Amino acid sequence: MIAAILVATSAFIVWCLLANRMERWWISAPLVMVLAGGAVGIGAHGAITMALNTTAAQRAAEIILAVLLFVDATEVRGSLLGRYPRLAARGLFIGIPVSLAMTMLVGWFLLPRLGWSVLLLVACVIAPIDFASAPSLLRDRHVPERVRDVLTVESGYTDGLVTPVFLFALLWADPANDSDDPIAALVNAAPSSLTALAVGVVMGLVVETGLVRSDAAGWSTERSRRLALVATPLVTYAAAVGLGGNGFVAAFVCGIVYRFRRGSAANSEVGLTEDVGSLLTAAMWFVFGAVTVIALADGLPWQVLAFAAIALTVLRVLPEAVAVTGSGLPRSEVLALGWLRPRGTSTIVFALIAFNTLPDGDAADLILTLATLVVLGSIVLHTVGAPVAVAGHDRRVRRRAGD
């Protein structure tokens, strides 16, 4: 454990000290942490497996997800759905359901032994998009401004919107519930979700009101208010779990309510919380690097490889094309919206929670393996591939201009 902490923190500090140069070389912090985690995983295979399959590991993953969901919900610029709300709404409320359905159908064809509950769980695990591993894509001048804005909104909300479905699928797929009936699983999941919704709304209102009044009365400092926001997703998580609800759903709802009440002022208030989220994200990428060694150790059937390849291509572009049908969006922007959808931290955390919750067996192992392949493929396509392709395009343009 001490050796893993030493390697992880050393790798992160080195990247921080060389961040400017690293970004010029298209080396992101997640990529460095994955490589560091993989190095540790090679030497500590069995210990990592035992560490992951514990209640403490699951609780840690849930707390990290709660913080990340809160940050995601508060970081969208402009209105709640950005500067192009209709396009963002299409992606969120049409694109996501279509993507989940298509993923289940492809999974049924390639991996029919899993069953519908596990296939829905797989679809939820690989659905969220996350630009932590490829932040430059949201600043790249080659990507249309409208596309960048919509992708920013979707990256902030997709994981939170998928989370209730993920929890339902987890309950449905868990043999401990002695029922393969989705209606029964939905009924069992409803009270937890409703409790989380209520706790999130109340905590968002309480925190926002408290911070505003404290600031107006001169009772707090700017630093203390930032610290209060860091603690907000944690106290929301704990309150929801204590009342029988889901903690990370409550944290996501709390972030939405706070963002709605504070408006654009929230952008400058959550800086410290975003930094903490970045640190937690780096930790999860390190864990992912170690998990990769476990997930890929025993080889991969062609069906699993085919599923991952389809998930990184067709299952990204086609649902988005369906969502924006009739919007008048140019074909190039439709392709960009579908193609530039990296997977990352949320997929890792969802997969770890599913692996820890489900009993040992093929389903749990396969979910971890599929998540690993999809995230690794996304690193190749977006963290490394996209910047290299853009640089090559620029060189060709300059060469033609010179000729």
Side-chain angles (χ1 to χ4, degrees), residues 18-400:
L18 301 175
N20 192 33
R21 181 61 58 88
M22 291 280 197
E23 289 178 350
R24 293 180 186 175
W25 295 337
W26 311 306
I27 300 176
S28 64
L31 181 57
V32 171
M33 298 308 290
V34 168
L35 295 175
V40 171
I42 292 174
H45 187 291
I48 291 173
T49 304
M50 293 178 59
L52 289 178
N53 202 13
T54 62
T55 302
Q58 178 172 342
R59 192 66 75 189
E62 291 179 356
I63 292 173
I64 290 173
L65 183 59
V67 175
L68 297 180
L69 288 174
F70 178 83
V71 171
D72 286 346
T74 57
E75 68 181 1
V76 176
R77 301 301 189 253
S79 67
L80 282 176
L81 291 179
R83 286 170 287 183
Y84 303 92
R86 291 186 179 180
L87 279 177
R90 282 172 174 260
L92 292 171
F93 302 115
I94 298 177
I96 291 177
V98 171
S99 177
L100 294 178
M102 288 185 61
T103 302
M104 292 176 68
L105 288 175
V106 172
W108 172 78
F109 179 75
L110 290 173
L111 306 165
R113 71 183 186 277
L114 289 184
W116 290 111
S117 59
V118 177
L119 288 175
L120 179 57
L121 200 56
V122 169
C124 292
V125 167
I126 66 175
I129 62 175
D130 177 18
F131 284 88
S133 63
S136 61
L137 291 178
L138 293 179
R139 303 188 299 267
D140 198 317
R141 67 187 186 281
H142 298 88
V143 181
E145 184 270 340
R146 175 165 51 184
V147 172
R148 281 181 279 141
D149 186 81
V150 172
L151 288 175
T152 299
V153 174
E154 290 196 37
S155 68
Y157 292 148
T158 302
D159 46 6
L161 294 177
V162 168
T163 295
V165 185
F166 170 77
L167 296 173
F168 157 70
L170 198 60
L171 192 62
W172 183 15
D174 189 353
N177 295 301
D178 298 325
S179 176
D180 194 37
D181 182 6
I183 302 300
L186 183 62
V187 171
N188 291 333
S192 174
S193 298
L194 292 175
T195 300
L197 178 63
V199 171
V201 171
V202 170
M203 291 302 300
L205 292 173
V206 169
V207 170
E208 190 276 335
T209 302
L211 288 176
V212 170
R213 295 190 176 182
S214 174
D215 182 25
W219 297 337
S220 61
T221 65
E222 183 177 350
R223 179 174 180 271
S224 67
R225 290 190 294 274
R226 291 198 302 267
L227 290 172
L229 281 177
V230 172
T232 295
L234 302 179
V235 70
T236 304
Y237 171 88
V241 171
L243 293 173
N246 184 271
F248 39 90
V249 172
F252 176 70
V253 174
C254 177
I256 291 178
V257 172
Y258 181 81
R259 176 68 178 79
F260 177 75
R261 295 272 293 182
R262 292 296 288 154
S264 59
N267 297 337
S268 60
E269 296 170 342
V270 296
L272 181 59
T273 310
E274 290 178 348
D275 290 341
V276 172
S278 297
L279 188 60
L280 295 175
T281 296
M284 291 311 304
W285 282 104
F286 179 81
V287 173
F288 170 73
V291 167
T292 300
V293 177
I294 301 171
L296 306 183
D298 298 326
L300 299 168
W302 72 266
Q303 295 93 335
V304 174
L305 290 171
F307 183 92
I310 295 172
L312 286 166
T313 53
V314 177
L315 294 178
R316 294 186 307 165
V317 177
L318 193 54
E320 196 62 30
V322 172
V324 300
T325 298
S327 66
L329 205 64
R331 183 177 300 178
S332 60
E333 294 191 19
V334 175
L335 184 61
L337 276 175
W339 187 252
L340 301 177
R341 309 179 77 81
R343 267 57 169 181
T345 312
S346 297
T347 292
I348 298 168
V349 175
F350 280 161
L352 291 176
I353 292 174
F355 177 77
N356 189 276
T357 302
L358 295 177
D360 295 341
D362 292 341
D365 293 341
L366 189 56
I367 288 174
L368 195 64
T369 300
L370 286 171
T372 300
L373 286 175
V374 169
V375 174
L376 281 177
S378 183
I379 290 174
V380 173
L381 287 174
H382 301 105
T383 305
V384 179
V388 171
V390 167
H393 174 269
D394 285 348
R395 284 194 297 270
R396 289 192 296 271
V397 169
R398 288 195 296 269
R399 190 179 302 117
R400 286 196 296 267

